Amino acid sequence: MKNLGSVMVAYMIGWGVFFVYFVSVARRTADLRKDVERLKETLTRGK
Amino acid sequence: MTAKVLSAAAVVFLLGASAYGAFFVAPNELTMGIVQRIFYLHAPCGMTALAAFMLCFVGNLGYLFKREAKWDWLGVSCAEVGLAFCTVVLLRGPIWAKPAWGVYWAWDARLTSTLVLWLLYLSYLILRTMVDDPDRRALISSFYGVFIFLDVPLVYGSIWWWRTQHPQPVVFTSGGLNPEMRKIFYLSWLSLTALMVLLIRQRYELEAVRAEAQILTREAEAA
């Protein structure tokens, strides 16, 4: 089982990068959606 | 929302199945031993990164010809996702290289052109942050995106055109790969392609919401 640690690290790095990227895009989208809702409310109130 | 959750669950299932196959089903490679199992993620990851950059090129060309924002959204989404895949390739490669070659890094044509590719697409994304006007940003980055795509065929062909430390391809050659290994490789490739599509779709949605927010901000300022 020589180098099993290297294999595990290689896989964990891969999943880690993809997971962090997925969460960051989801968060950015959720924040922008909130901004859109807030802007829509502001514009409706202004009319 | 349900479709999104289902597609994400399908991707997670495929990724889990490919990891299971790589660890428990694929036979041990005789020369390198267990460390060769990195191959099942490393090679498909590199191929998926190149596919994402190719889609970015399509988006950039689409914008230059049609001048419609959706092509620019495709371009930036694919560039960012491709960069994520390329990052994984560059981080994971040295982990395999050390036990296989005795060094973490070699300045050979494949590795160097891949690092240059990563830097080029990073500069593509940085360039976009420097231009405020959406139309101007899309035009400049599309021109730049078409130009930097020239490195993609260079990365792909580097192992044939130059003598490299990086091994020659074993998947699409006859007798290069054990049939059991080949099946696991294709499963990994499928799972990473599905992940790429999922990430591009999510990133494209972010760009569409951002455009809507910009329009509403302008309206709010004008009111």
PDB file of all heavy atoms in Angstrom, chain B residues 187-223:
ATOM      1  N   LEU B 187     -15.681   5.808 -17.379  1.00  0.00           N
ATOM      2  CA  LEU B 187     -16.659   6.200 -16.354  1.00  0.00           C
ATOM      3  C   LEU B 187     -16.224   7.512 -15.689  1.00  0.00           C
ATOM      4  O   LEU B 187     -17.052   8.410 -15.471  1.00  0.00           O
ATOM      5  CB  LEU B 187     -16.797   5.082 -15.307  1.00  0.00           C
ATOM      6  CG  LEU B 187     -17.780   5.361 -14.160  1.00  0.00           C
ATOM      7  CD1 LEU B 187     -19.205   5.504 -14.684  1.00  0.00           C
ATOM      8  CD2 LEU B 187     -17.722   4.263 -13.108  1.00  0.00           C
ATOM      9  N   SER B 188     -14.929   7.621 -15.395  1.00  0.00           N
ATOM     10  CA  SER B 188     -14.411   8.862 -14.783  1.00  0.00           C
ATOM     11  C   SER B 188     -14.572  10.045 -15.725  1.00  0.00           C
ATOM     12  O   SER B 188     -14.949  11.146 -15.307  1.00  0.00           O
ATOM     13  CB  SER B 188     -12.926   8.714 -14.460  1.00  0.00           C
ATOM     14  OG  SER B 188     -12.748   7.925 -13.347  1.00  0.00           O
ATOM     15  N   TRP B 189     -14.305   9.795 -16.976  1.00  0.00           N
ATOM     16  CA  TRP B 189     -14.421  10.857 -17.986  1.00  0.00           C
ATOM     17  C   TRP B 189     -15.881  11.339 -18.086  1.00  0.00           C
ATOM     18  O   TRP B 189     -16.155  12.539 -18.116  1.00  0.00           O
ATOM     19  CB  TRP B 189     -13.921  10.322 -19.336  1.00  0.00           C
ATOM     20  CG  TRP B 189     -13.690  11.385 -20.374  1.00  0.00           C
ATOM     21  CD1 TRP B 189     -13.671  12.742 -20.172  1.00  0.00           C
ATOM     22  CD2 TRP B 189     -13.447  11.177 -21.757  1.00  0.00           C
ATOM     23  NE1 TRP B 189     -13.429  13.383 -21.354  1.00  0.00           N
ATOM     24  CE2 TRP B 189     -13.289  12.459 -22.340  1.00  0.00           C
ATOM     25  CE3 TRP B 189     -13.347  10.048 -22.561  1.00  0.00           C
ATOM     26  CZ2 TRP B 189     -13.038  12.630 -23.702  1.00  0.00           C
ATOM     27  CZ3 TRP B 189     -13.093  10.223 -23.915  1.00  0.00           C
ATOM     28  CH2 TRP B 189     -12.943  11.494 -24.475  1.00  0.00           C
ATOM     29  N   LEU B 190     -16.795  10.368 -18.091  1.00  0.00           N
ATOM     30  CA  LEU B 190     -18.226  10.700 -18.145  1.00  0.00           C
ATOM     31  C   LEU B 190     -18.631  11.517 -16.917  1.00  0.00           C
ATOM     32  O   LEU B 190     -19.341  12.529 -17.040  1.00  0.00           O
ATOM     33  CB  LEU B 190     -19.055   9.403 -18.235  1.00  0.00           C
ATOM     34  CG  LEU B 190     -20.571   9.582 -18.177  1.00  0.00           C
ATOM     35  CD1 LEU B 190     -21.090  10.157 -19.489  1.00  0.00           C
ATOM     36  CD2 LEU B 190     -21.272   8.249 -17.887  1.00  0.00           C
ATOM     37  N   SER B 191     -18.176  11.077 -15.737  1.00  0.00           N
ATOM     38  CA  SER B 191     -18.580  11.769 -14.505  1.00  0.00           C
ATOM     39  C   SER B 191     -18.021  13.193 -14.464  1.00  0.00           C
ATOM     40  O   SER B 191     -18.716  14.123 -14.064  1.00  0.00           O
ATOM     41  CB  SER B 191     -18.151  10.976 -13.272  1.00  0.00           C
ATOM     42  OG  SER B 191     -16.752  10.927 -13.194  1.00  0.00           O
ATOM     43  N   LEU B 192     -16.781  13.372 -14.919  1.00  0.00           N
ATOM     44  CA  LEU B 192     -16.194  14.718 -14.903  1.00  0.00           C
ATOM     45  C   LEU B 192     -16.816  15.617 -15.973  1.00  0.00           C
ATOM     46  O   LEU B 192     -16.961  16.824 -15.771  1.00  0.00           O
ATOM     47  CB  LEU B 192     -14.679  14.639 -15.073  1.00  0.00           C
ATOM     48  CG  LEU B 192     -13.944  14.117 -13.836  1.00  0.00           C
ATOM     49  CD1 LEU B 192     -12.474  13.892 -14.122  1.00  0.00           C
ATOM     50  CD2 LEU B 192     -14.091  15.058 -12.655  1.00  0.00           C
ATOM     51  N   THR B 193     -17.218  15.017 -17.102  1.00  0.00           N
ATOM     52  CA  THR B 193     -17.909  15.809 -18.129  1.00  0.00           C
ATOM     53  C   THR B 193     -19.270  16.271 -17.595  1.00  0.00           C
ATOM     54  O   THR B 193     -19.678  17.419 -17.810  1.00  0.00           O
ATOM     55  CB  THR B 193     -18.080  14.979 -19.423  1.00  0.00           C
ATOM     56  OG1 THR B 193     -16.790  14.523 -19.836  1.00  0.00           O
ATOM     57  CG2 THR B 193     -18.687  15.800 -20.543  1.00  0.00           C
ATOM     58  N   ALA B 194     -19.958  15.357 -16.877  1.00  0.00           N
ATOM     59  CA  ALA B 194     -21.248  15.725 -16.277  1.00  0.00           C
ATOM     60  C   ALA B 194     -21.056  16.835 -15.251  1.00  0.00           C
ATOM     61  O   ALA B 194     -21.851  17.786 -15.192  1.00  0.00           O
ATOM     62  CB  ALA B 194     -21.883  14.496 -15.622  1.00  0.00           C
ATOM     63  N   LEU B 195     -19.973  16.741 -14.468  1.00  0.00           N
ATOM     64  CA  LEU B 195     -19.670  17.791 -13.483  1.00  0.00           C
ATOM     65  C   LEU B 195     -19.393  19.118 -14.189  1.00  0.00           C
ATOM     66  O   LEU B 195     -19.868  20.175 -13.758  1.00  0.00           O
ATOM     67  CB  LEU B 195     -18.455  17.383 -12.633  1.00  0.00           C
ATOM     68  CG  LEU B 195     -17.967  18.396 -11.610  1.00  0.00           C
ATOM     69  CD1 LEU B 195     -18.996  18.620 -10.508  1.00  0.00           C
ATOM     70  CD2 LEU B 195     -16.643  17.955 -10.980  1.00  0.00           C
ATOM     71  N   MET B 196     -18.658  19.058 -15.302  1.00  0.00           N
ATOM     72  CA  MET B 196     -18.349  20.271 -16.070  1.00  0.00           C
ATOM     73  C   MET B 196     -19.643  20.940 -16.561  1.00  0.00           C
ATOM     74  O   MET B 196     -19.822  22.150 -16.422  1.00  0.00           O
ATOM     75  CB  MET B 196     -17.458  19.931 -17.269  1.00  0.00           C
ATOM     76  CG  MET B 196     -17.155  21.118 -18.156  1.00  0.00           C
ATOM     77  SD  MET B 196     -16.400  20.663 -19.729  1.00  0.00           S
ATOM     78  CE  MET B 196     -17.796  20.035 -20.645  1.00  0.00           C
ATOM     79  N   VAL B 197     -20.561  20.145 -17.106  1.00  0.00           N
ATOM     80  CA  VAL B 197     -21.829  20.685 -17.619  1.00  0.00           C
ATOM     81  C   VAL B 197     -22.622  21.331 -16.477  1.00  0.00           C
ATOM     82  O   VAL B 197     -23.153  22.435 -16.614  1.00  0.00           O
ATOM     83  CB  VAL B 197     -22.649  19.577 -18.323  1.00  0.00           C
ATOM     84  CG1 VAL B 197     -24.042  20.073 -18.692  1.00  0.00           C
ATOM     85  CG2 VAL B 197     -21.925  19.078 -19.570  1.00  0.00           C
ATOM     86  N   LEU B 198     -22.658  20.641 -15.335  1.00  0.00           N
ATOM     87  CA  LEU B 198     -23.380  21.161 -14.165  1.00  0.00           C
ATOM     88  C   LEU B 198     -22.792  22.503 -13.717  1.00  0.00           C
ATOM     89  O   LEU B 198     -23.537  23.469 -13.490  1.00  0.00           O
ATOM     90  CB  LEU B 198     -23.299  20.143 -13.013  1.00  0.00           C
ATOM     91  CG  LEU B 198     -24.010  20.530 -11.726  1.00  0.00           C
ATOM     92  CD1 LEU B 198     -25.491  20.219 -11.832  1.00  0.00           C
ATOM     93  CD2 LEU B 198     -23.423  19.782 -10.533  1.00  0.00           C
ATOM     94  N   LEU B 199     -21.466  22.568 -13.632  1.00  0.00           N
ATOM     95  CA  LEU B 199     -20.809  23.802 -13.180  1.00  0.00           C
ATOM     96  C   LEU B 199     -20.996  24.934 -14.193  1.00  0.00           C
ATOM     97  O   LEU B 199     -21.222  26.080 -13.808  1.00  0.00           O
ATOM     98  CB  LEU B 199     -19.318  23.545 -12.933  1.00  0.00           C
ATOM     99  CG  LEU B 199     -18.966  22.658 -11.732  1.00  0.00           C
ATOM    100  CD1 LEU B 199     -17.466  22.371 -11.698  1.00  0.00           C
ATOM    101  CD2 LEU B 199     -19.397  23.295 -10.428  1.00  0.00           C
ATOM    102  N   ILE B 200     -20.902  24.610 -15.481  1.00  0.00           N
ATOM    103  CA  ILE B 200     -21.076  25.655 -16.512  1.00  0.00           C
ATOM    104  C   ILE B 200     -22.502  26.214 -16.453  1.00  0.00           C
ATOM    105  O   ILE B 200     -22.716  27.418 -16.525  1.00  0.00           O
ATOM    106  CB  ILE B 200     -20.739  25.112 -17.922  1.00  0.00           C
ATOM    107  CG1 ILE B 200     -19.225  24.897 -18.060  1.00  0.00           C
ATOM    108  CG2 ILE B 200     -21.209  26.086 -19.013  1.00  0.00           C
ATOM    109  CD1 ILE B 200     -18.797  24.228 -19.351  1.00  0.00           C
ATOM    110  N   ARG B 201     -23.476  25.320 -16.301  1.00  0.00           N
ATOM    111  CA  ARG B 201     -24.880  25.761 -16.215  1.00  0.00           C
ATOM    112  C   ARG B 201     -25.088  26.683 -15.028  1.00  0.00           C
ATOM    113  O   ARG B 201     -25.759  27.707 -15.127  1.00  0.00           O
ATOM    114  CB  ARG B 201     -25.805  24.549 -16.099  1.00  0.00           C
ATOM    115  CG  ARG B 201     -26.176  23.965 -17.442  1.00  0.00           C
ATOM    116  CD  ARG B 201     -27.120  22.824 -17.294  1.00  0.00           C
ATOM    117  NE  ARG B 201     -28.353  23.198 -16.598  1.00  0.00           N
ATOM    118  CZ  ARG B 201     -29.315  22.345 -16.304  1.00  0.00           C
ATOM    119  NH1 ARG B 201     -29.208  21.092 -16.638  1.00  0.00           N
ATOM    120  NH2 ARG B 201     -30.405  22.745 -15.690  1.00  0.00           N
ATOM    121  N   GLN B 202     -24.498  26.292 -13.887  1.00  0.00           N
ATOM    122  CA  GLN B 202     -24.648  27.096 -12.666  1.00  0.00           C
ATOM    123  C   GLN B 202     -23.965  28.456 -12.831  1.00  0.00           C
ATOM    124  O   GLN B 202     -24.507  29.485 -12.447  1.00  0.00           O
ATOM    125  CB  GLN B 202     -24.037  26.328 -11.496  1.00  0.00           C
ATOM    126  CG  GLN B 202     -24.523  26.837 -10.164  1.00  0.00           C
ATOM    127  CD  GLN B 202     -23.774  26.246  -9.001  1.00  0.00           C
ATOM    128  OE1 GLN B 202     -22.753  25.605  -9.166  1.00  0.00           O
ATOM    129  NE2 GLN B 202     -24.285  26.470  -7.821  1.00  0.00           N
ATOM    130  N   ARG B 203     -22.770  28.442 -13.441  1.00  0.00           N
ATOM    131  CA  ARG B 203     -22.015  29.687 -13.625  1.00  0.00           C
ATOM    132  C   ARG B 203     -22.697  30.600 -14.642  1.00  0.00           C
ATOM    133  O   ARG B 203     -22.679  31.820 -14.508  1.00  0.00           O
ATOM    134  CB  ARG B 203     -20.587  29.326 -14.067  1.00  0.00           C
ATOM    135  CG  ARG B 203     -19.640  30.490 -14.217  1.00  0.00           C
ATOM    136  CD  ARG B 203     -19.469  31.236 -12.924  1.00  0.00           C
ATOM    137  NE  ARG B 203     -18.620  32.407 -13.070  1.00  0.00           N
ATOM    138  CZ  ARG B 203     -18.989  33.550 -13.631  1.00  0.00           C
ATOM    139  NH1 ARG B 203     -20.224  33.691 -14.078  1.00  0.00           N
ATOM    140  NH2 ARG B 203     -18.154  34.562 -13.713  1.00  0.00           N
ATOM    141  N   TYR B 204     -23.314  29.990 -15.669  1.00  0.00           N
ATOM    142  CA  TYR B 204     -24.047  30.752 -16.692  1.00  0.00           C
ATOM    143  C   TYR B 204     -25.249  31.459 -16.048  1.00  0.00           C
ATOM    144  O   TYR B 204     -25.532  32.618 -16.339  1.00  0.00           O
ATOM    145  CB  TYR B 204     -24.511  29.782 -17.784  1.00  0.00           C
ATOM    146  CG  TYR B 204     -25.194  30.423 -18.960  1.00  0.00           C
ATOM    147  CD1 TYR B 204     -24.467  30.803 -20.092  1.00  0.00           C
ATOM    148  CD2 TYR B 204     -26.561  30.645 -18.978  1.00  0.00           C
ATOM    149  CE1 TYR B 204     -25.089  31.384 -21.177  1.00  0.00           C
ATOM    150  CE2 TYR B 204     -27.196  31.230 -20.061  1.00  0.00           C
ATOM    151  CZ  TYR B 204     -26.462  31.594 -21.159  1.00  0.00           C
ATOM    152  OH  TYR B 204     -27.079  32.174 -22.236  1.00  0.00           O
ATOM    153  N   GLU B 205     -25.907  30.757 -15.150  1.00  0.00           N
ATOM    154  CA  GLU B 205     -27.056  31.323 -14.439  1.00  0.00           C
ATOM    155  C   GLU B 205     -26.620  32.539 -13.618  1.00  0.00           C
ATOM    156  O   GLU B 205     -27.322  33.552 -13.590  1.00  0.00           O
ATOM    157  CB  GLU B 205     -27.634  30.238 -13.529  1.00  0.00           C
ATOM    158  CG  GLU B 205     -29.007  30.568 -12.997  1.00  0.00           C
ATOM    159  CD  GLU B 205     -29.454  29.528 -11.987  1.00  0.00           C
ATOM    160  OE1 GLU B 205     -29.221  28.328 -12.223  1.00  0.00           O
ATOM    161  OE2 GLU B 205     -30.025  29.925 -10.966  1.00  0.00           O
ATOM    162  N   LEU B 206     -25.450  32.422 -12.990  1.00  0.00           N
ATOM    163  CA  LEU B 206     -24.910  33.546 -12.206  1.00  0.00           C
ATOM    164  C   LEU B 206     -24.725  34.775 -13.098  1.00  0.00           C
ATOM    165  O   LEU B 206     -25.081  35.896 -12.728  1.00  0.00           O
ATOM    166  CB  LEU B 206     -23.568  33.137 -11.574  1.00  0.00           C
ATOM    167  CG  LEU B 206     -22.681  34.255 -11.001  1.00  0.00           C
ATOM    168  CD1 LEU B 206     -23.344  34.943  -9.820  1.00  0.00           C
ATOM    169  CD2 LEU B 206     -21.339  33.705 -10.567  1.00  0.00           C
ATOM    170  N   GLU B 207     -24.211  34.550 -14.294  1.00  0.00           N
ATOM    171  CA  GLU B 207     -23.966  35.657 -15.233  1.00  0.00           C
ATOM    172  C   GLU B 207     -25.283  36.287 -15.683  1.00  0.00           C
ATOM    173  O   GLU B 207     -25.379  37.510 -15.821  1.00  0.00           O
ATOM    174  CB  GLU B 207     -23.170  35.122 -16.432  1.00  0.00           C
ATOM    175  CG  GLU B 207     -22.180  36.079 -17.024  1.00  0.00           C
ATOM    176  CD  GLU B 207     -21.168  36.641 -16.040  1.00  0.00           C
ATOM    177  OE1 GLU B 207     -20.721  35.931 -15.131  1.00  0.00           O
ATOM    178  OE2 GLU B 207     -20.841  37.837 -16.196  1.00  0.00           O
ATOM    179  N   ALA B 208     -26.313  35.444 -15.891  1.00  0.00           N
ATOM    180  CA  ALA B 208     -27.628  35.954 -16.303  1.00  0.00           C
ATOM    181  C   ALA B 208     -28.246  36.792 -15.186  1.00  0.00           C
ATOM    182  O   ALA B 208     -28.808  37.875 -15.441  1.00  0.00           O
ATOM    183  CB  ALA B 208     -28.542  34.782 -16.661  1.00  0.00           C
ATOM    184  N   VAL B 209     -28.144  36.331 -13.937  1.00  0.00           N
ATOM    185  CA  VAL B 209     -28.690  37.088 -12.794  1.00  0.00           C
ATOM    186  C   VAL B 209     -27.923  38.397 -12.622  1.00  0.00           C
ATOM    187  O   VAL B 209     -28.509  39.437 -12.337  1.00  0.00           O
ATOM    188  CB  VAL B 209     -28.643  36.242 -11.490  1.00  0.00           C
ATOM    189  CG1 VAL B 209     -29.151  37.043 -10.304  1.00  0.00           C
ATOM    190  CG2 VAL B 209     -29.456  34.980 -11.634  1.00  0.00           C
ATOM    191  N   ARG B 210     -26.594  38.360 -12.851  1.00  0.00           N
ATOM    192  CA  ARG B 210     -25.774  39.566 -12.735  1.00  0.00           C
ATOM    193  C   ARG B 210     -26.213  40.614 -13.767  1.00  0.00           C
ATOM    194  O   ARG B 210     -26.326  41.800 -13.439  1.00  0.00           O
ATOM    195  CB  ARG B 210     -24.300  39.211 -12.950  1.00  0.00           C
ATOM    196  CG  ARG B 210     -23.383  40.418 -12.848  1.00  0.00           C
ATOM    197  CD  ARG B 210     -21.940  40.022 -12.951  1.00  0.00           C
ATOM    198  NE  ARG B 210     -21.521  39.307 -11.748  1.00  0.00           N
ATOM    199  CZ  ARG B 210     -20.475  38.493 -11.695  1.00  0.00           C
ATOM    200  NH1 ARG B 210     -19.757  38.286 -12.764  1.00  0.00           N
ATOM    201  NH2 ARG B 210     -20.134  37.912 -10.577  1.00  0.00           N
ATOM    202  N   ALA B 211     -26.503  40.154 -14.978  1.00  0.00           N
ATOM    203  CA  ALA B 211     -26.947  41.084 -16.027  1.00  0.00           C
ATOM    204  C   ALA B 211     -28.291  41.712 -15.642  1.00  0.00           C
ATOM    205  O   ALA B 211     -28.494  42.920 -15.838  1.00  0.00           O
ATOM    206  CB  ALA B 211     -27.072  40.335 -17.353  1.00  0.00           C
ATOM    207  N   GLU B 212     -29.192  40.907 -15.072  1.00  0.00           N
ATOM    208  CA  GLU B 212     -30.499  41.413 -14.643  1.00  0.00           C
ATOM    209  C   GLU B 212     -30.313  42.462 -13.541  1.00  0.00           C
ATOM    210  O   GLU B 212     -30.962  43.516 -13.562  1.00  0.00           O
ATOM    211  CB  GLU B 212     -31.348  40.243 -14.125  1.00  0.00           C
ATOM    212  CG  GLU B 212     -32.805  40.610 -13.929  1.00  0.00           C
ATOM    213  CD  GLU B 212     -33.613  39.483 -13.285  1.00  0.00           C
ATOM    214  OE1 GLU B 212     -33.076  38.370 -13.107  1.00  0.00           O
ATOM    215  OE2 GLU B 212     -34.779  39.739 -12.958  1.00  0.00           O
ATOM    216  N   ALA B 213     -29.395  42.169 -12.610  1.00  0.00           N
ATOM    217  CA  ALA B 213     -29.118  43.101 -11.506  1.00  0.00           C
ATOM    218  C   ALA B 213     -28.568  44.422 -12.039  1.00  0.00           C
ATOM    219  O   ALA B 213     -28.935  45.495 -11.548  1.00  0.00           O
ATOM    220  CB  ALA B 213     -28.133  42.472 -10.527  1.00  0.00           C
ATOM    221  N   GLN B 214     -27.717  44.347 -13.065  1.00  0.00           N
ATOM    222  CA  GLN B 214     -27.139  45.568 -13.643  1.00  0.00           C
ATOM    223  C   GLN B 214     -28.221  46.431 -14.300  1.00  0.00           C
ATOM    224  O   GLN B 214     -28.229  47.652 -14.156  1.00  0.00           O
ATOM    225  CB  GLN B 214     -26.056  45.212 -14.651  1.00  0.00           C
ATOM    226  CG  GLN B 214     -24.713  44.906 -13.990  1.00  0.00           C
ATOM    227  CD  GLN B 214     -23.683  44.334 -14.937  1.00  0.00           C
ATOM    228  OE1 GLN B 214     -23.994  43.978 -16.074  1.00  0.00           O
ATOM    229  NE2 GLN B 214     -22.452  44.209 -14.468  1.00  0.00           N
ATOM    230  N   ILE B 215     -29.139  45.776 -15.017  1.00  0.00           N
ATOM    231  CA  ILE B 215     -30.230  46.510 -15.676  1.00  0.00           C
ATOM    232  C   ILE B 215     -31.111  47.198 -14.627  1.00  0.00           C
ATOM    233  O   ILE B 215     -31.445  48.384 -14.740  1.00  0.00           O
ATOM    234  CB  ILE B 215     -31.077  45.549 -16.559  1.00  0.00           C
ATOM    235  CG1 ILE B 215     -30.251  45.076 -17.756  1.00  0.00           C
ATOM    236  CG2 ILE B 215     -32.358  46.234 -17.043  1.00  0.00           C
ATOM    237  CD1 ILE B 215     -30.850  43.907 -18.517  1.00  0.00           C
ATOM    238  N   LEU B 216     -31.451  46.449 -13.574  1.00  0.00           N
ATOM    239  CA  LEU B 216     -32.306  47.003 -12.520  1.00  0.00           C
ATOM    240  C   LEU B 216     -31.608  48.144 -11.778  1.00  0.00           C
ATOM    241  O   LEU B 216     -32.250  49.131 -11.410  1.00  0.00           O
ATOM    242  CB  LEU B 216     -32.711  45.899 -11.539  1.00  0.00           C
ATOM    243  CG  LEU B 216     -33.723  44.881 -12.073  1.00  0.00           C
ATOM    244  CD1 LEU B 216     -33.853  43.699 -11.122  1.00  0.00           C
ATOM    245  CD2 LEU B 216     -35.095  45.526 -12.284  1.00  0.00           C
ATOM    246  N   THR B 217     -30.296  48.011 -11.571  1.00  0.00           N
ATOM    247  CA  THR B 217     -29.543  49.085 -10.902  1.00  0.00           C
ATOM    248  C   THR B 217     -29.603  50.357 -11.729  1.00  0.00           C
ATOM    249  O   THR B 217     -29.827  51.458 -11.198  1.00  0.00           O
ATOM    250  CB  THR B 217     -28.065  48.648 -10.703  1.00  0.00           C
ATOM    251  OG1 THR B 217     -28.042  47.391 -10.042  1.00  0.00           O
ATOM    252  CG2 THR B 217     -27.285  49.652  -9.884  1.00  0.00           C
ATOM    253  N   ARG B 218     -29.426  50.208 -13.045  1.00  0.00           N
ATOM    254  CA  ARG B 218     -29.485  51.378 -13.938  1.00  0.00           C
ATOM    255  C   ARG B 218     -30.877  52.025 -13.892  1.00  0.00           C
ATOM    256  O   ARG B 218     -31.012  53.237 -13.834  1.00  0.00           O
ATOM    257  CB  ARG B 218     -29.128  50.973 -15.367  1.00  0.00           C
ATOM    258  CG  ARG B 218     -27.717  51.447 -15.756  1.00  0.00           C
ATOM    259  CD  ARG B 218     -27.346  51.022 -17.152  1.00  0.00           C
ATOM    260  NE  ARG B 218     -26.665  49.731 -17.133  1.00  0.00           N
ATOM    261  CZ  ARG B 218     -26.802  48.784 -18.036  1.00  0.00           C
ATOM    262  NH1 ARG B 218     -27.640  48.931 -19.035  1.00  0.00           N
ATOM    263  NH2 ARG B 218     -26.111  47.672 -17.970  1.00  0.00           N
ATOM    264  N   GLU B 219     -31.911  51.169 -13.885  1.00  0.00           N
ATOM    265  CA  GLU B 219     -33.291  51.682 -13.813  1.00  0.00           C
ATOM    266  C   GLU B 219     -33.524  52.424 -12.504  1.00  0.00           C
ATOM    267  O   GLU B 219     -34.144  53.483 -12.472  1.00  0.00           O
ATOM    268  CB  GLU B 219     -34.293  50.527 -13.929  1.00  0.00           C
ATOM    269  CG  GLU B 219     -34.550  50.095 -15.363  1.00  0.00           C
ATOM    270  CD  GLU B 219     -35.520  48.927 -15.437  1.00  0.00           C
ATOM    271  OE1 GLU B 219     -36.325  48.764 -14.512  1.00  0.00           O
ATOM    272  OE2 GLU B 219     -35.434  48.166 -16.421  1.00  0.00           O
ATOM    273  N   ALA B 220     -33.015  51.841 -11.397  1.00  0.00           N
ATOM    274  CA  ALA B 220     -33.194  52.458 -10.072  1.00  0.00           C
ATOM    275  C   ALA B 220     -32.472  53.792 -10.001  1.00  0.00           C
ATOM    276  O   ALA B 220     -32.965  54.745  -9.381  1.00  0.00           O
ATOM    277  CB  ALA B 220     -32.676  51.505  -8.998  1.00  0.00           C
ATOM    278  N   GLU B 221     -31.296  53.864 -10.629  1.00  0.00           N
ATOM    279  CA  GLU B 221     -30.534  55.120 -10.626  1.00  0.00           C
ATOM    280  C   GLU B 221     -31.232  56.198 -11.465  1.00  0.00           C
ATOM    281  O   GLU B 221     -31.200  57.374 -11.122  1.00  0.00           O
ATOM    282  CB  GLU B 221     -29.119  54.867 -11.165  1.00  0.00           C
ATOM    283  CG  GLU B 221     -28.194  54.240 -10.131  1.00  0.00           C
ATOM    284  CD  GLU B 221     -26.879  53.731 -10.721  1.00  0.00           C
ATOM    285  OE1 GLU B 221     -26.678  53.840 -11.954  1.00  0.00           O
ATOM    286  OE2 GLU B 221     -26.080  53.195  -9.948  1.00  0.00           O
ATOM    287  N   ALA B 222     -31.850  55.751 -12.565  1.00  0.00           N
ATOM    288  CA  ALA B 222     -32.530  56.700 -13.452  1.00  0.00           C
ATOM    289  C   ALA B 222     -33.832  57.207 -12.841  1.00  0.00           C
ATOM    290  O   ALA B 222     -34.278  58.318 -13.136  1.00  0.00           O
ATOM    291  CB  ALA B 222     -32.800  56.046 -14.800  1.00  0.00           C
ATOM    292  N   ALA B 223     -34.470  56.372 -12.004  1.00  0.00           N
ATOM    293  CA  ALA B 223     -35.794  56.731 -11.446  1.00  0.00           C
ATOM    294  C   ALA B 223     -35.678  57.849 -10.405  1.00  0.00           C
ATOM    295  O   ALA B 223     -34.688  58.027  -9.760  1.00  0.00           O
ATOM    296  CB  ALA B 223     -36.418  55.495 -10.811  1.00  0.00           C
TER     297      ALA B 223
END
